[in-house]
Amino acid sequence: MHTVVEALQAIDRTIKPGIPREVPVFQSAGSRAAEPIEACSDSPPFDKALMDGFAVRSQDIQPNVTLRVQERLTAGQVPKLPLSPGVTTQVMTGTQVPDGTDAVVRVEDVNDPEAEELTLSISSLAAGRNVFHRGESMQTGETILKPGELLEFPKIALLAELGVMSVSCFPRPTVSVLATGDELVPANQQPGPGQIRNSNEPMLVAQVANAGGIPQPVGIARDTEEDLREKIATGLESDFLLLSGGVSAGVLDLVPKMLAELGVQQVFHKVQMKPGKPIWFGLRSANPDEGTNACYVFGLPGNPVSSMVCFELFVRRAMARFQKVGGMDLEPLQARLTQPHLVKGDRPVYHPARVSIAGSEVTARPVRWVGSADLRGAAEANGMIAFPPRSDSYEADEFVDAWCWFQR
Ligand code: AMP
Ligand code: MG
C-alpha cells in the first residue's frame, strides 16, 4: 500500500497540463493564464480629473484669488486651450485636464460655479490634488498577467480596459462524476427499504466547481458490468472521471475491473490513510487513431466523507496540475491546534476541521466526527487536519498540516 506522499508524487508525475487555448476574455473567469500579458498602453491614458470641479495651476490658488473660466468640459470632451496664469477650465470626474493643470479645485470649494470669474472658499491647494496622472496606475510594457494566474473579475476588467479581447488559458478541466451502487436513488427520490440517496454526486459536483473545473454529472451506475461499462465510457470523454463507490473489497466492487477492461491503466490503488484507504487512480491515454482523449480517473471510496477528503487531498491537486498550478499553492497550511486531540490506529487521519485564517495566524479545530459515513459531523467543517499516527495525544498549540477548503 502506498503512503499519501507517494500517491501525491504519482499524481504529479502522471498529470500533464492541458493544452493552452485562446479564450474570449468575457468567458475567461475561473481559467488560469498560460501566457503573460503586458500593458499595451498607460492607465489612465491622459491626466484626468478625479473630482467634479475646476482644473487649476496650484500656485494660482492664493487667498482672495479670482480665476477666469475659459472652457467648460464634461467627461469625454477634450480641452482646446492650455491653462495660463489666472485661468481655469471646468471639468467633470474623468475629464482630460488641460496642459498646465496640476490640481483640481472641487466644485464644493467654489462660491458660484456658474460665474465667469470664480472666487474660492479655499486659500491654497497642494500640487497633484484631485488629478490622476497618465500612467499612474499602469505603464505601457508592465506585466499585468502572469502565467498560472487566476482570471477573475478584477483582472478581466483590467484586460478589458486595455482592449484585450482574448487570453491564452490553460483549459478548465471537464470532470465527469459517476456514482455507483445498487443501493442508491437520486437525491430527489424517496429511498425504498435498504436504499440511500446519492449524496456524493451533488457533493462532488460542488467540489469540482469549487476547484475550478466544469462538472459533468453522469448519474448512477448500477453494480453490473453492463451499466458500469456504458456509463464509464461516457465519463471517459471528459478530462477527468470521478467514480464514487465500488473500489473496496466487496463482492460487487467491480470498478477496478471495468476500468481495466476499458483501457484505463492503474497508477495506484489503496493509500495508507483514514478515511479513504480504497482510493484508486489511473489514466486512460489519448489515442489519436481511435479519436480518444486522455482521461484521468479517480475511483473514490463510496463513503461520503472518504470521497470528500480524497477529493480535497488528491483530485484537487490533480486538477490544479492540469491547469499548471504548482509550488506553494499546493502545500498545506501550518495551523495551530486549538484543542488537544487523540488519534487512534496506525494510519494518518484526515480529520474534518474548522480552519480559520486571520492574517498570518492559522488555527484549526477538529470537528466532532465519528468516521467516514458521518456527513453530519463533516458538514461543520471548512477544512481538514492531517494527524500522522502517534501514541500520545496531540496537544493544544501544536502545529499541524491543515487545509482550508473555503472561508466561512
Ligand atoms: P462502496 O465504496 O461502494 O463499498 O460504498 C461504501 C459506502 O458508501 C456504502 O455504505 C454506500 O452505501 C455508501 N455510498 C456509496 N456511494 C454513495 C453515494 N453516491 N452517496 C452516498 N453514499 C454512498
Ligand atoms: Mg458500492
Side-chain angles (χ1 to χ4, degrees), residues 113-160:
E114 274 151 42
E116 287 311 305
E117 295 287 332
L118 293 186
T119 57
L120 311 178
S121 57
I122 54 171
S123 53
S124 71
L125 189 64
R129 259 327 248 291
N130 305 328
V131 176
F132 196 23
H133 291 103
R134 174 177 181 159
E136 201 175 317
S137 107
M138 172 169 64
Q139 296 200 339
T140 306
E142 229 179 279
T143 302
I144 51 151
L145 190 69
K146 298 195 199 83
E149 250 190 276
L150 186 63
L151 281 146
E152 263 308 342
F153 49 91
K155 290 278 165 158
I156 288 173
L158 185 62
L159 294 172

Short mmCIF file of all heavy atoms in Angstrom, two decimals, residues 113-160:
data_model
loop_
_atom_site.label_atom_id
_atom_site.label_comp_id
_atom_site.label_asym_id
_atom_site.label_seq_id
_atom_site.Cartn_x
_atom_site.Cartn_y
_atom_site.Cartn_z
N PRO A 113 -20.21 78.31 -9.05
CA PRO A 113 -19.58 77.60 -10.16
C PRO A 113 -19.99 78.14 -11.52
O PRO A 113 -19.29 77.92 -12.51
CB PRO A 113 -20.06 76.15 -9.99
CG PRO A 113 -20.56 76.05 -8.59
CD PRO A 113 -21.00 77.42 -8.18
N GLU A 114 -21.15 78.85 -11.60
CA GLU A 114 -21.59 79.34 -12.91
C GLU A 114 -21.00 80.71 -13.26
O GLU A 114 -21.12 81.17 -14.40
CB GLU A 114 -23.11 79.38 -12.97
CG GLU A 114 -23.66 78.01 -13.39
CD GLU A 114 -25.02 77.70 -12.83
OE1 GLU A 114 -25.85 78.63 -12.84
OE2 GLU A 114 -25.21 76.56 -12.37
N ALA A 115 -20.35 81.34 -12.32
CA ALA A 115 -19.78 82.68 -12.58
C ALA A 115 -18.64 82.60 -13.59
O ALA A 115 -17.97 81.57 -13.69
CB ALA A 115 -19.27 83.27 -11.26
N GLU A 116 -18.43 83.66 -14.35
CA GLU A 116 -17.32 83.70 -15.30
C GLU A 116 -16.00 83.97 -14.57
O GLU A 116 -14.94 83.55 -15.01
CB GLU A 116 -17.55 84.77 -16.38
CG GLU A 116 -18.63 84.39 -17.39
CD GLU A 116 -18.43 82.98 -17.97
OE1 GLU A 116 -17.34 82.70 -18.50
OE2 GLU A 116 -19.37 82.14 -17.86
N GLU A 117 -16.09 84.71 -13.47
CA GLU A 117 -14.92 84.97 -12.62
C GLU A 117 -15.17 84.23 -11.31
O GLU A 117 -16.07 84.60 -10.56
CB GLU A 117 -14.77 86.48 -12.34
CG GLU A 117 -14.47 87.32 -13.57
CD GLU A 117 -13.04 87.15 -14.08
OE1 GLU A 117 -12.15 86.83 -13.26
OE2 GLU A 117 -12.82 87.31 -15.30
N LEU A 118 -14.37 83.16 -11.06
CA LEU A 118 -14.62 82.33 -9.88
C LEU A 118 -13.95 82.92 -8.65
O LEU A 118 -12.80 83.37 -8.74
CB LEU A 118 -14.02 80.93 -10.04
CG LEU A 118 -14.58 79.99 -11.08
CD1 LEU A 118 -13.89 78.64 -10.91
CD2 LEU A 118 -16.08 79.83 -10.94
N THR A 119 -14.66 82.84 -7.53
CA THR A 119 -13.98 83.05 -6.25
C THR A 119 -14.09 81.74 -5.48
O THR A 119 -15.02 80.96 -5.69
CB THR A 119 -14.62 84.19 -5.43
OG1 THR A 119 -16.00 83.88 -5.25
CG2 THR A 119 -14.47 85.52 -6.14
N LEU A 120 -13.09 81.51 -4.60
CA LEU A 120 -12.98 80.21 -3.94
C LEU A 120 -13.12 80.34 -2.43
O LEU A 120 -12.83 81.39 -1.87
CB LEU A 120 -11.60 79.58 -4.24
CG LEU A 120 -11.16 79.56 -5.71
CD1 LEU A 120 -9.76 78.94 -5.81
CD2 LEU A 120 -12.14 78.76 -6.57
N SER A 121 -13.54 79.22 -1.79
CA SER A 121 -13.59 79.22 -0.33
C SER A 121 -12.31 78.61 0.26
O SER A 121 -12.24 78.38 1.45
CB SER A 121 -14.82 78.47 0.17
OG SER A 121 -14.81 77.16 -0.35
N ILE A 122 -11.34 78.30 -0.59
CA ILE A 122 -10.05 77.80 -0.08
C ILE A 122 -8.97 78.81 -0.45
O ILE A 122 -9.13 79.58 -1.41
CB ILE A 122 -9.70 76.41 -0.66
CG1 ILE A 122 -9.75 76.44 -2.20
CG2 ILE A 122 -10.63 75.34 -0.13
CD1 ILE A 122 -9.21 75.17 -2.85
N SER A 123 -7.85 78.77 0.28
CA SER A 123 -6.82 79.77 0.00
C SER A 123 -5.50 79.13 -0.44
O SER A 123 -4.51 79.83 -0.68
CB SER A 123 -6.59 80.64 1.24
OG SER A 123 -6.36 79.80 2.34
N SER A 124 -5.49 77.78 -0.54
CA SER A 124 -4.30 77.12 -1.09
C SER A 124 -4.70 75.70 -1.51
O SER A 124 -5.75 75.20 -1.09
CB SER A 124 -3.18 77.06 -0.04
OG SER A 124 -3.55 76.13 0.95
N LEU A 125 -3.88 75.11 -2.36
CA LEU A 125 -4.16 73.74 -2.82
C LEU A 125 -2.82 73.09 -3.19
O LEU A 125 -2.02 73.69 -3.90
CB LEU A 125 -5.09 73.78 -4.05
CG LEU A 125 -5.67 72.46 -4.54
CD1 LEU A 125 -6.58 71.82 -3.49
CD2 LEU A 125 -6.46 72.68 -5.83
N ALA A 126 -2.59 71.88 -2.67
CA ALA A 126 -1.31 71.21 -2.95
C ALA A 126 -1.28 70.74 -4.40
O ALA A 126 -2.30 70.31 -4.95
CB ALA A 126 -1.15 70.02 -2.01
N ALA A 127 -0.09 70.81 -5.00
CA ALA A 127 0.08 70.29 -6.37
C ALA A 127 -0.29 68.81 -6.38
O ALA A 127 0.02 68.08 -5.45
CB ALA A 127 1.53 70.49 -6.81
N GLY A 128 -0.95 68.39 -7.44
CA GLY A 128 -1.31 66.97 -7.59
C GLY A 128 -2.69 66.63 -7.06
O GLY A 128 -3.21 65.55 -7.35
N ARG A 129 -3.31 67.58 -6.31
CA ARG A 129 -4.60 67.27 -5.70
C ARG A 129 -5.67 66.99 -6.75
O ARG A 129 -5.85 67.78 -7.66
CB ARG A 129 -5.06 68.45 -4.85
CG ARG A 129 -4.86 68.35 -3.37
CD ARG A 129 -4.98 66.99 -2.80
NE ARG A 129 -6.14 66.86 -1.95
CZ ARG A 129 -6.25 67.46 -0.78
NH1 ARG A 129 -5.29 68.23 -0.32
NH2 ARG A 129 -7.32 67.27 -0.05
N ASN A 130 -6.35 65.86 -6.62
CA ASN A 130 -7.52 65.50 -7.45
C ASN A 130 -7.20 65.32 -8.93
O ASN A 130 -8.08 65.45 -9.77
CB ASN A 130 -8.65 66.53 -7.28
CG ASN A 130 -9.05 66.69 -5.82
OD1 ASN A 130 -8.97 65.74 -5.06
ND2 ASN A 130 -9.43 67.89 -5.43
N VAL A 131 -5.91 65.05 -9.21
CA VAL A 131 -5.54 64.74 -10.60
C VAL A 131 -4.95 63.33 -10.62
O VAL A 131 -4.13 62.98 -9.78
CB VAL A 131 -4.48 65.73 -11.15
CG1 VAL A 131 -4.04 65.32 -12.57
CG2 VAL A 131 -5.02 67.15 -11.16
N PHE A 132 -5.45 62.51 -11.56
CA PHE A 132 -4.92 61.17 -11.75
C PHE A 132 -4.03 61.26 -12.98
O PHE A 132 -4.50 61.52 -14.08
CB PHE A 132 -6.11 60.23 -11.97
CG PHE A 132 -5.80 58.77 -11.82
CD1 PHE A 132 -4.73 58.30 -11.08
CD2 PHE A 132 -6.63 57.82 -12.42
CE1 PHE A 132 -4.47 56.95 -10.92
CE2 PHE A 132 -6.39 56.46 -12.27
CZ PHE A 132 -5.31 56.03 -11.53
N HIS A 133 -2.70 61.10 -12.75
CA HIS A 133 -1.77 61.34 -13.85
C HIS A 133 -1.66 60.16 -14.80
O HIS A 133 -1.77 59.01 -14.38
CB HIS A 133 -0.37 61.67 -13.27
CG HIS A 133 -0.34 62.99 -12.58
ND1 HIS A 133 -0.36 63.10 -11.22
CD2 HIS A 133 -0.34 64.25 -13.09
CE1 HIS A 133 -0.35 64.39 -10.90
NE2 HIS A 133 -0.34 65.11 -12.02
N ARG A 134 -1.41 60.49 -16.04
CA ARG A 134 -1.18 59.46 -17.06
C ARG A 134 -0.17 58.44 -16.55
O ARG A 134 0.89 58.79 -16.04
CB ARG A 134 -0.65 60.13 -18.33
CG ARG A 134 -0.26 59.11 -19.36
CD ARG A 134 0.18 59.74 -20.65
NE ARG A 134 0.50 58.63 -21.54
CZ ARG A 134 0.54 58.72 -22.83
NH1 ARG A 134 0.32 59.86 -23.43
NH2 ARG A 134 0.81 57.65 -23.56
N GLY A 135 -0.51 57.14 -16.68
CA GLY A 135 0.41 56.06 -16.31
C GLY A 135 0.57 55.84 -14.82
O GLY A 135 1.37 55.01 -14.39
N GLU A 136 -0.23 56.57 -14.01
CA GLU A 136 -0.06 56.43 -12.56
C GLU A 136 -0.47 55.05 -12.08
O GLU A 136 0.09 54.50 -11.13
CB GLU A 136 -0.91 57.50 -11.86
CG GLU A 136 -0.46 57.80 -10.44
CD GLU A 136 -1.24 58.97 -9.83
OE1 GLU A 136 -1.46 59.99 -10.53
OE2 GLU A 136 -1.64 58.85 -8.66
N SER A 137 -1.47 54.44 -12.73
CA SER A 137 -1.88 53.11 -12.25
C SER A 137 -1.19 52.00 -13.05
O SER A 137 -0.95 50.93 -12.51
CB SER A 137 -3.41 53.01 -12.28
OG SER A 137 -3.88 52.19 -13.29
N MET A 138 -0.87 52.26 -14.30
CA MET A 138 -0.26 51.20 -15.11
C MET A 138 0.53 51.83 -16.24
O MET A 138 0.07 52.78 -16.86
CB MET A 138 -1.39 50.32 -15.68
CG MET A 138 -0.99 49.29 -16.69
SD MET A 138 -2.38 48.17 -16.98
CE MET A 138 -3.60 49.25 -17.69
N GLN A 139 1.72 51.28 -16.51
CA GLN A 139 2.54 51.85 -17.58
C GLN A 139 2.72 50.84 -18.70
O GLN A 139 2.80 49.63 -18.44
CB GLN A 139 3.90 52.27 -17.01
CG GLN A 139 3.70 53.38 -16.00
CD GLN A 139 4.95 54.17 -15.73
OE1 GLN A 139 6.07 53.71 -15.97
NE2 GLN A 139 4.76 55.36 -15.20
N THR A 140 2.78 51.35 -19.90
CA THR A 140 2.99 50.51 -21.08
C THR A 140 4.17 49.57 -20.85
O THR A 140 5.22 50.01 -20.37
CB THR A 140 3.26 51.40 -22.31
OG1 THR A 140 2.18 52.34 -22.42
CG2 THR A 140 3.36 50.59 -23.59
N GLY A 141 3.97 48.29 -21.16
CA GLY A 141 5.07 47.33 -21.04
C GLY A 141 5.10 46.59 -19.72
O GLY A 141 5.76 45.56 -19.58
N GLU A 142 4.34 47.09 -18.74
CA GLU A 142 4.27 46.41 -17.45
C GLU A 142 3.57 45.05 -17.60
O GLU A 142 2.59 44.97 -18.33
CB GLU A 142 3.40 47.26 -16.52
CG GLU A 142 3.96 47.55 -15.17
CD GLU A 142 2.96 48.41 -14.40
OE1 GLU A 142 2.93 49.64 -14.62
OE2 GLU A 142 2.22 47.84 -13.62
N THR A 143 4.05 44.03 -16.88
CA THR A 143 3.35 42.74 -16.92
C THR A 143 2.13 42.81 -16.01
O THR A 143 2.26 43.10 -14.83
CB THR A 143 4.29 41.61 -16.45
OG1 THR A 143 5.42 41.60 -17.30
CG2 THR A 143 3.60 40.24 -16.50
N ILE A 144 0.97 42.56 -16.58
CA ILE A 144 -0.24 42.66 -15.76
C ILE A 144 -0.89 41.30 -15.53
O ILE A 144 -1.78 41.15 -14.70
CB ILE A 144 -1.27 43.62 -16.38
CG1 ILE A 144 -1.52 43.25 -17.84
CG2 ILE A 144 -0.81 45.06 -16.26
CD1 ILE A 144 -2.90 43.61 -18.26
N LEU A 145 -0.43 40.29 -16.26
CA LEU A 145 -0.97 38.94 -16.04
C LEU A 145 0.17 37.97 -16.22
O LEU A 145 0.86 37.98 -17.24
CB LEU A 145 -2.09 38.66 -17.06
CG LEU A 145 -2.92 37.41 -16.84
CD1 LEU A 145 -3.80 37.56 -15.60
CD2 LEU A 145 -3.80 37.12 -18.05
N LYS A 146 0.39 37.13 -15.19
CA LYS A 146 1.49 36.17 -15.27
C LYS A 146 0.93 34.77 -15.53
O LYS A 146 -0.20 34.49 -15.14
CB LYS A 146 2.24 36.14 -13.93
CG LYS A 146 2.87 37.46 -13.55
CD LYS A 146 3.88 37.23 -12.42
CE LYS A 146 4.19 38.52 -11.70
NZ LYS A 146 3.21 38.88 -10.67
N PRO A 147 1.73 33.90 -16.16
CA PRO A 147 1.25 32.53 -16.38
C PRO A 147 0.87 31.89 -15.05
O PRO A 147 1.56 32.07 -14.05
CB PRO A 147 2.45 31.81 -17.00
CG PRO A 147 3.29 32.90 -17.58
CD PRO A 147 3.08 34.11 -16.71
N GLY A 148 -0.23 31.16 -15.06
CA GLY A 148 -0.69 30.48 -13.85
C GLY A 148 -1.66 31.32 -13.02
O GLY A 148 -2.33 30.79 -12.15
N GLU A 149 -1.73 32.63 -13.32
CA GLU A 149 -2.63 33.48 -12.52
C GLU A 149 -4.08 33.19 -12.85
O GLU A 149 -4.44 32.95 -13.99
CB GLU A 149 -2.33 34.95 -12.83
CG GLU A 149 -1.68 35.66 -11.69
CD GLU A 149 -1.61 37.16 -11.94
OE1 GLU A 149 -0.66 37.58 -12.61
OE2 GLU A 149 -2.50 37.86 -11.48
N LEU A 150 -4.89 33.28 -11.80
CA LEU A 150 -6.32 33.03 -11.95
C LEU A 150 -6.97 34.27 -12.54
O LEU A 150 -6.76 35.39 -12.07
CB LEU A 150 -6.91 32.74 -10.56
CG LEU A 150 -8.36 32.33 -10.51
CD1 LEU A 150 -8.60 31.01 -11.25
CD2 LEU A 150 -8.81 32.20 -9.05
N LEU A 151 -7.78 34.04 -13.57
CA LEU A 151 -8.53 35.15 -14.15
C LEU A 151 -9.84 35.29 -13.40
O LEU A 151 -10.65 34.38 -13.38
CB LEU A 151 -8.79 34.88 -15.63
CG LEU A 151 -7.57 35.18 -16.47
CD1 LEU A 151 -7.46 34.23 -17.63
CD2 LEU A 151 -7.60 36.62 -16.94
N GLU A 152 -9.97 36.43 -12.73
CA GLU A 152 -11.22 36.70 -12.04
C GLU A 152 -11.62 38.12 -12.38
O GLU A 152 -10.91 38.81 -13.08
CB GLU A 152 -11.06 36.47 -10.52
CG GLU A 152 -11.53 35.09 -10.08
CD GLU A 152 -12.95 34.74 -10.54
OE1 GLU A 152 -13.73 35.64 -10.91
OE2 GLU A 152 -13.27 33.54 -10.53
N PHE A 153 -12.76 38.56 -11.84
CA PHE A 153 -13.33 39.81 -12.34
C PHE A 153 -12.38 41.02 -12.31
O PHE A 153 -12.41 41.82 -13.25
CB PHE A 153 -14.69 40.10 -11.72
CG PHE A 153 -14.75 39.98 -10.23
CD1 PHE A 153 -14.51 41.07 -9.42
CD2 PHE A 153 -15.07 38.77 -9.63
CE1 PHE A 153 -14.58 40.96 -8.05
CE2 PHE A 153 -15.14 38.65 -8.25
CZ PHE A 153 -14.89 39.75 -7.45
N PRO A 154 -11.48 41.17 -11.30
CA PRO A 154 -10.61 42.35 -11.38
C PRO A 154 -9.67 42.31 -12.60
O PRO A 154 -9.50 43.30 -13.29
CB PRO A 154 -9.81 42.29 -10.07
CG PRO A 154 -10.62 41.44 -9.15
CD PRO A 154 -11.28 40.43 -10.05
N LYS A 155 -9.08 41.14 -12.85
CA LYS A 155 -8.17 41.03 -14.00
C LYS A 155 -8.95 41.14 -15.31
O LYS A 155 -8.45 41.68 -16.30
CB LYS A 155 -7.43 39.67 -13.96
CG LYS A 155 -6.43 39.58 -12.84
CD LYS A 155 -5.09 40.22 -13.20
CE LYS A 155 -4.28 40.40 -11.94
NZ LYS A 155 -2.89 40.54 -12.04
N ILE A 156 -10.16 40.60 -15.32
CA ILE A 156 -10.97 40.67 -16.54
C ILE A 156 -11.25 42.13 -16.87
O ILE A 156 -11.15 42.56 -18.02
CB ILE A 156 -12.25 39.83 -16.37
CG1 ILE A 156 -11.86 38.34 -16.40
CG2 ILE A 156 -13.30 40.16 -17.43
CD1 ILE A 156 -12.98 37.38 -16.08
N ALA A 157 -11.56 42.92 -15.86
CA ALA A 157 -11.82 44.35 -16.09
C ALA A 157 -10.56 45.04 -16.61
O ALA A 157 -10.62 45.86 -17.53
CB ALA A 157 -12.29 45.00 -14.78
N LEU A 158 -9.41 44.69 -16.03
CA LEU A 158 -8.16 45.31 -16.44
C LEU A 158 -7.85 44.99 -17.91
O LEU A 158 -7.45 45.87 -18.68
CB LEU A 158 -7.03 44.82 -15.53
CG LEU A 158 -5.66 45.45 -15.71
CD1 LEU A 158 -5.72 46.94 -15.42
CD2 LEU A 158 -4.63 44.78 -14.80
N LEU A 159 -8.05 43.73 -18.29
CA LEU A 159 -7.81 43.34 -19.68
C LEU A 159 -8.76 44.09 -20.61
O LEU A 159 -8.37 44.56 -21.68
CB LEU A 159 -7.97 41.82 -19.85
CG LEU A 159 -6.92 40.98 -19.11
CD1 LEU A 159 -7.29 39.50 -19.16
CD2 LEU A 159 -5.53 41.20 -19.70
N ALA A 160 -10.01 44.23 -20.18
CA ALA A 160 -11.00 44.95 -21.00
C ALA A 160 -10.59 46.42 -21.13
O ALA A 160 -10.71 47.01 -22.20
CB ALA A 160 -12.39 44.82 -20.38
#
